[in-house]
Amino acid sequence: NPNKILEYRIMPYGEEHLLLIVRDVTRLSQLEAMRKDFVANVSHELRTPLTVISGYLELMTGVDTTDPMVSKAVTEMEAQSKRMKNLVEDLLVLSRIEASAERIYERVVNMPEVLRQIETEAQTLNKEKGHTIRFHIEPDLRVYGIETELRSACSNLIFNAIHYTPANGAIDVYWKRVHNGVKFSVVDNGCGIEQAHISRLTERFYRVDKGRSRSTGGSGLGLSIVKHVLSHHNSKLEIKSKLGQGSEFSFRLAEEIIAENNKS
Ligand code: ADP
């Protein structure tokens, strides 16, 4: 049946035999496709009413009122509607990456430039925290890939380091050639993560400390986005962390993904 989706697995069986396991995942794939469609549609539909609500709320924060209850309520509603907008945006980004059939070898991404742009945004975001953020970027090191996706992965990792490092910390961002390709990493001396949580961090909405994370305004989808972007680029997120000492979030791209200088 050509409509069936089958999954194969080959395993050793005793000394001389191999075991072939065939699994019919047709129904599972259909359900997964429905879930993706549903999330994409809901996020899209929520966008318009949310934009209207937050637009009016923004207007109302400027209105003179003598009732402190009212101004407090409006400020809080505005903050929450912003959070909801971020959440919906991140859900849309995630759905887009999941549905993307774009091929990664068609375009060259000027990563040093992308990272310089993220650096400017990071320094703005860093005003309150006062970290020392250093970017160590190998010039001319471009790769094949999808710019919006790589930008989103790198900025999520950098902004997380800023959020989860207590004020006046140190953050180092690297983009460099390594022996078998290129490596991006963000090293912080922030709060760190307990080992037990690490393998679950890329799950949607997974957070180590729900209360504290929520106050940072994140959607809980950042690392999930990173994971999908990296799998699209044949890579995966590596996390090293020590509680109370800091973390390193990194990924490697294979040698063949590096674009030569003269191509663009
Ligand atoms: P969000 O930051 O919106 O909560 P993410 O998916 O980006 O969602 O991150 C998931 C969780 O991983 C965070 O809630 C936080 O607990 C943890 N985390 C991410 N980056 C760091 C970091 N640099 N240091 C410590 N914890 C981190």
Side-chain angles (χ1 to χ4, degrees), residues 14 37 40 51 58 73 75 93 106-107 110 118 140-141 154 168 171 176 186 203 215 236 242 247 249 252-253:
D37 268 2
T51 307
E58 212 169 300
T75 310
V93 170
E106 279 165 11
R107 273 182 208 196
N110 187 346
I118 299 176
D140 300 326
L141 187 47
C154 296
N168 305 314
I171 295 166
K176 61 177 180 201
V186 183
E203 288 172 21
S215 69
K236 61 183 198 318
K242 278 221 170 89
S247 315
F249 285 75
R252 283 160 201 270
L253 298 175

Side-chain angles (χ1 to χ4, degrees), residues 90 156-165 186 188 190-193 200-210 212-214 216-226 241 246-249:
D90 276 358
N156 265 304
L157 296 177
I158 295 167
F159 297 167
N160 271 351
I162 297 176
H163 281 310
Y164 297 107
T165 300
V186 183
D188 68 51
C191 62
I193 305 151
R200 301 199 55 196
L201 288 185
T202 57
E203 288 172 21
R204 283 154 211 254
F205 302 114
Y206 189 83
R207 285 157 155 175
V208 175
D209 176 344
K210 296 205 183 305
R212 189 169 51 187
S213 305
R214 212 166 291 147
T216 66
S219 66
L221 292 169
L223 292 181
S224 198
I225 292 175
V226 175
S241 190
S247 315
E248 175 181 351
F249 285 75

Side-chain angles (χ1 to χ4, degrees), residues 165-191:
T165 300
N168 305 314
I171 295 166
D172 287 279
V173 178
Y174 299 88
W175 173 250
K176 61 177 180 201
R177 246 180 192 283
V178 284
H179 71 281
N180 52 357
V182 43
K183 181 177 174 185
F184 171 83
S185 60
V186 183
V187 182
D188 68 51
N189 66 352
C191 62

